[in-house]
Amino acid sequence: MSVRRTVLAASVLALALVFSSGASAKKPPPPPPPPPPPSDQSPTAPTNLRLTVNGPYSISLAWDASQTSSSNWWYCIQRDGLGCIRVDPPQTTFTFSRLWPDTTFNYSVVAITSTGKRSASSNTVTYTTPADTTAPSAPTLSLTGNWPVRISVAWTASVDDVGLQVWSTLLVNGSPYGADQLGFRSALVLDRSPATTYTLKVTVRDYFGNTNESNVVTVTTPGVTDVTAPTAPTNLRLSSESSAPEIWLDWDQSTDDTDPQSQILYDVYLNGVPEHAAVGYGETIVYCRGEGPNTIAVRAVDTSGNASAFSNKIVFC
């Protein structure tokens, strides 16, 4: 009887162990949670960069967008892998409207985050602009004033096809009057002779040496009818800005019996040598000549060539 009880107890214990082991096998410990995704990965590279030619010196770029988890990022358009023209998403296009002539441009695009994460580069597109062989547009020259010893002219703006600056040169009887001018569209031609015919023309050139010219204006200066000189300028003085070698001058303006003050020319005599200084106002800047003191005086000249007496003299330098 005791043997049977012992066997039964052993069987119950074995079953309990089996059930306990099975229950443990069915409930393994849970795996650890995956790490959180990075908050600032490098963007994916822009793709399919392509180019559209709008004109000889204008192109448009377009590309397929990058992907990034960053909330603060942008595209950089680079030339030859350098520099950065910023384009903010979602925009994926950019237009260059004034490319330099006769130059090869290699463009690519990268995406960059505010923390410096950078994508791989897109593919590269290449465009070569043609040389600039087109002259600026021809200006129109017109006469704006005519006096016995002066002529004034003006001309319309000359436009370059590439949008570059245009230099102008005024020709009087075929010879340049002054140096090439950038941005000027008028001139006062001094030191003419009364009752004399002159031909005037403007030539223009762009950066690449393409040239054009205006119409020709022919003008005959009138004879002299006014023989009265202007009053002498007075109170010639140094301005407080004077500092060698610059001599800043002020004076009280002259008056004339026929010309308004706006048309009176002032010549500055520096050590006896004249130079045209101002028309219509009483101030100018001249420069010391050589070492030692410089003696300065001013004289007024009207449109008929009548010259006034000298102003008071001052010494500087």
Side-chain angles (χ1 to χ4, degrees):
M1 188 69 172
S2 63
V3 174
R4 292 177 62 188
R5 290 177 178 171
T6 301
V7 172
L8 180 59
S11 299
V12 172
L13 179 59
L15 289 172
L17 291 173
V18 170
F19 283 119
S20 175
S21 175
S24 298
K26 291 179 180 179
K27 296 182 179 179
S39 60
D40 186 21
Q41 293 178 314
S42 293
T44 61
T47 57
N48 192 27
L49 178 62
R50 49 207 181 271
L51 177 152
T52 300
V53 178
N54 305 318
Y57 309 105
S58 175
I59 61 172
S60 293
L61 301 180
W63 58 92
D64 295 344
S66 298
Q67 301 296 322
T68 179
S69 59
S70 174
S71 61
N72 188 5
W73 64 287
W74 54 89
Y75 297 106
C76 272
I77 300 174
Q78 297 188 304
R79 180 185 174 191
D80 296 323
L82 302 173
C84 177
I85 298 176
R86 176 169 171 161
V87 177
D88 291 318
Q91 181 177 333
T92 56
T93 60
F94 190 83
T95 296
F96 293 92
S97 58
R98 295 176 63 181
L99 295 174
W100 196 255
D102 198 22
T103 304
T104 296
F105 298 86
N106 302 301
Y107 288 116
S108 58
V109 180
V110 296
I112 301 177
T113 70
S114 60
T115 58
K117 299 287 186 179
R118 178 188 180 101
S119 77
S121 178
S122 71
N123 57 300
T124 298
V125 294
T126 298
Y127 178 67
T128 299
T129 53
D132 179 14
T133 58
T134 302
S137 63
T140 299
L141 179 65
S142 58
L143 179 69
T144 56
N146 185 21
W147 302 272
V149 296
R150 300 182 203 170
I151 300 169
S152 65
V153 291
W155 54 94
T156 59
S158 178
V159 180
D160 185 58
D161 64 319
V162 185
L164 299 176
Q165 295 171 319
V166 177
W167 286 262
S168 302
T169 302
L170 176 64
L171 303 179
V172 179
N173 291 344
S175 298
Y177 183 80
D180 288 359
Q181 299 290 333
L182 181 61
F184 286 88
R185 297 206 302 271
S186 64
L188 180 62
V189 184
L190 301 173
D191 304 320
R192 301 303 96 188
S193 297
T196 303
T197 299
Y198 296 92
T199 58
L200 300 96
K201 180 174 66 175
V202 170
T203 62
V204 292
R205 66 173 177 85
D206 65 14
Y207 178 87
F208 295 97
N210 302 301
T211 62
N212 209 338
E213 59 186 39
S214 73
N215 55 301
V216 174
V217 169
T218 301
V219 57
T220 300
T221 55
V224 174
T225 58
D226 171 29
V227 294
T228 303
T231 62
T234 58
N235 192 24
L236 177 63
R237 56 200 181 273
L238 293 173
S239 174
S240 60
E241 295 92 343
S242 294
S243 178
E246 290 186 346
I247 310 172
W248 292 55
L249 299 174
D250 293 305
W251 60 88
D252 296 342
Q253 295 188 63
S254 303
T255 58
D256 187 69
D257 62 331
T258 58
D259 291 340
Q261 284 187 315
S262 61
Q263 292 182 352
I264 296 176
L265 166 70
Y266 296 95
D267 288 338
V268 172
Y269 285 73
L270 189 60
N271 296 330
V273 179
E275 62 180 70
H276 297 318
V279 175
Y281 51 94
E283 59 184 32
T284 193
I285 303 172
V286 294
Y287 292 86
C288 298
R289 291 179 180 169
E291 298 181 359
N294 286 262
T295 301
I296 307 158
V298 176
R299 200 176 192 185
V301 183
D302 66 17
T303 58
S304 293
N306 303 302
S308 74
F310 286 99
S311 71
N312 59 296
K313 295 181 180 180
I314 59 174
V315 177
F316 185 73
C317 299

